[in-house]
Structure formats: C-alpha cells, structure tokens
Amino acid sequence: MIAVDDKADSSLTWAIEARGLSKSFGNYYALKGVDLKVKKGEHLAIFGPNGAGKTTMIKLLSTLSKPSAGEIRLAGVDIRDDPVQVRRKVSVVSHETFLYDNLTPYENLKFYGRMYDVPDLECRIREVVSQMQLESHLYDRVGTLSRGLQQRVSIARAVIHDPSIMLLDEPEVGLDPHGFIMMRDVLDTLDHPDRTVVMTTHNLERGLDLSNRVVILNKGKVVYEAFKDEIETGDFQRTYDHYTELRK
C-alpha cells in the first residue's frame, strides 16, 4: 500500500481527518479502524467492491450516521462538538436525492438556499439551474421527473450554498453520459484551492478522471492509496483487482 506523505502534517490544514473510524451493525463491521486525511482542495476518489464500506464512509463524514468508534474533524471542527457548523460546510450527493417529491426543483432549491442563508438567492438558483440544464423542468414536481433529472436537481441542491467540502456517493448513478459531463463541468467550476471533493464510485476511469488521489477500500479497511501521478492509469484495473482479490 502506498501511504500519503505525512511529513508536513503540522503545517497542513486538513479538510477531513478521520482517526480509528469504525462502524458496526450488530456483529458486522462496515468500517474497521480507518484512518483517512484529505487536504484542502484535494479531489479524492474512493474505490471498492460492494460491501467495502464506501457508502458508510460518506454517511459518517456527512454526519448522517454516527461512528461506533473513532473521531472525525471536518474543516478543523470535531463533528461531535458542532455538527450544525459542520453541516453548513458540507454537501452530499448520494443515491438518496434529499429532495421533496411534492415540490418543484425551484421550490426545493429555494428551501435549501434559505436554510443555508445563501445571498442573492434568486440569482444563485438561476446559476445552478443553468449549469445543470434544468430550465425546462424548473416548475415540474420532482416526483414526476426521471431518475436522471432528479439526480441533476440533487447536484444543484448540493452546490447551492457553495460548500467547502463535497461528498459524492456514486453520483453518476442515474445520469446519462450527457448528465455526467454536466456534473463534471459543475465540479470544474467549483474547483479552487480551498474546496475538497470526496467521491465514491465503481467506475475506475471516471473516478481517476475526476480525482488527484485515490483510495481503495475493501472489507472495511483502506488497502491502497496513492496520488494519481504515481499511478499507471492503464494498469489501474489490475491494481484494483489485486488489492480487492487479496481480501476476498
């Protein structure tokens, strides 16, 4: 396993710090003592087979679930000390859209924008709607939209408050290729030195395309990590297979 260089730890500001992170469901452990650090501005892709612990990791980092053991600091704040402050810095895109089906995309975005005190909200809504090309569906009820369109609205919801940490749990699910390109373009517009993105995915090619560091989770543990410029992208499938086969 290739470890991330930690020599300059004392001089770095970490966006995400997880130490000894575990999550159990009865006698089953979805995560087993995971240590993970993500720098400000880093784009991290987490790969792993079904049951590896990827979604559990996102739920813990987003405060949607509590760890059984270990600690998490986001943007320097212990999530146990001030979960409200943490949630204002974080956004999540996952299998669950976190949208109200009986409301329109516009009404959903206005609700979340007000919740996060977004300045000049009407202008910001128009901006994210344009980015996700949702103009023609802005006043349709979310429950009537296709899964792909709902995911686009969910991404618009996630970026409405300009978060410093974005957590994406297989965000490409339900998106057609055009929708994925739009999502990538939105992430590109969000790219600046202080914004951090963590994405889980099964798609090795897309994950590598959108990241500058990768982690492989398997059986609830980090089994591999490396910076993208250390990886032979053409051989990464073989690397992935090696580290997941070892622990079957």
Side-chain angles (χ1 to χ4, degrees):
M1 180 173 67
I2 302 175
V4 173
D5 184 5
D6 205 30
K7 293 179 181 178
D9 190 11
S10 61
S11 64
L12 291 173
T13 303
W14 299 96
I16 298 172
E17 298 174 82
R19 300 178 185 274
L21 201 59
S22 295
K23 180 66 178 179
S24 63
F25 300 92
N27 293 324
Y28 171 73
Y29 274 82
L31 291 177
K32 305 173 184 177
V34 170
D35 293 329
L36 181 70
K37 288 186 175 183
V38 187
K39 298 176 187 177
K40 275 188 176 181
E42 193 168 36
H43 288 203
L44 175 70
I46 301 178
F47 301 109
N50 290 332
K54 302 187 303 297
T55 293
T56 299
M57 175 67 78
I58 294 296
K59 286 183 176 180
L60 296 182
L61 295 179
S62 63
T63 75
L64 292 174
S65 181
K66 294 182 179 180
S68 302
E71 62 181 42
I72 302 170
R73 297 179 69 86
L74 300 181
V77 179
D78 191 314
I79 64 171
R80 296 168 297 187
D81 295 338
D82 197 342
V84 174
Q85 179 186 348
V86 166
R87 289 176 191 135
R88 296 182 74 87
K89 298 175 181 293
V90 175
S91 69
V92 183
V93 176
S94 71
H95 305 290
E96 187 177 353
T97 64
F98 302 108
L99 299 171
Y100 294 94
D101 286 349
N102 61 325
L103 299 181
T104 66
Y106 172 79
E107 290 167 333
N108 271 280
L109 293 174
K110 193 164 187 177
F111 169 79
Y112 280 102
R114 285 176 170 173
M115 185 172 69
Y116 288 114
D117 298 320
V118 174
D120 200 1
L121 181 55
E122 291 297 327
C123 180
R124 180 60 178 158
I125 289 174
R126 289 194 298 271
E127 184 179 4
V128 297
V129 165
S130 176
Q131 286 176 318
M132 298 311 299
Q133 296 183 18
L134 290 165
E135 292 91 343
S136 61
H137 300 282
L138 191 56
Y139 301 105
D140 299 335
R141 292 188 184 275
V142 164
T144 68
L145 301 179
S146 68
R147 173 61 185 169
L149 284 170
Q150 288 182 10
Q151 192 70 332
R152 289 195 212 173
V153 180
S154 181
I155 295 168
R157 166 200 58 75
V159 303
I160 190 74
H161 62 299
D162 198 25
S164 61
I165 299 173
M166 292 192 66
L167 305 172
L168 312 176
D169 188 19
E170 298 185 20
E172 72 273 18
V173 173
L175 290 177
D176 57 22
H178 182 57
F180 178 81
I181 290 171
M182 282 192 294
M183 181 193 72
R184 184 180 61 192
D185 290 344
V186 169
L187 293 179
D188 286 343
T189 65
L190 291 172
D191 189 19
H192 66 64
D194 291 330
R195 181 167 288 107
T196 306
V197 178
V198 176
M199 178 180 68
T200 72
T201 181
H202 285 286
N203 191 310
L204 302 186
E205 182 180 355
R206 287 179 175 177
L208 287 172
D209 181 47
L210 292 174
S211 67
N212 48 43
R213 185 160 70 92
V214 304
V215 161
I216 298 175
L217 271 181
N218 198 19
K219 301 292 186 181
K221 295 183 177 181
V222 174
V223 295
Y224 175 90
E225 54 185 314
F227 293 104
K228 188 165 70 173
D229 59 10
E230 300 171 328
I231 298 170
E232 292 291 339
T233 56
D235 292 332
F236 188 64
Q237 179 69 59
R238 186 182 305 170
T239 300
Y240 175 83
D241 291 342
H242 172 74
Y243 281 95
T244 53
E245 288 287 340
L246 282 178
R247 290 162 176 80
K248 278 191 174 181

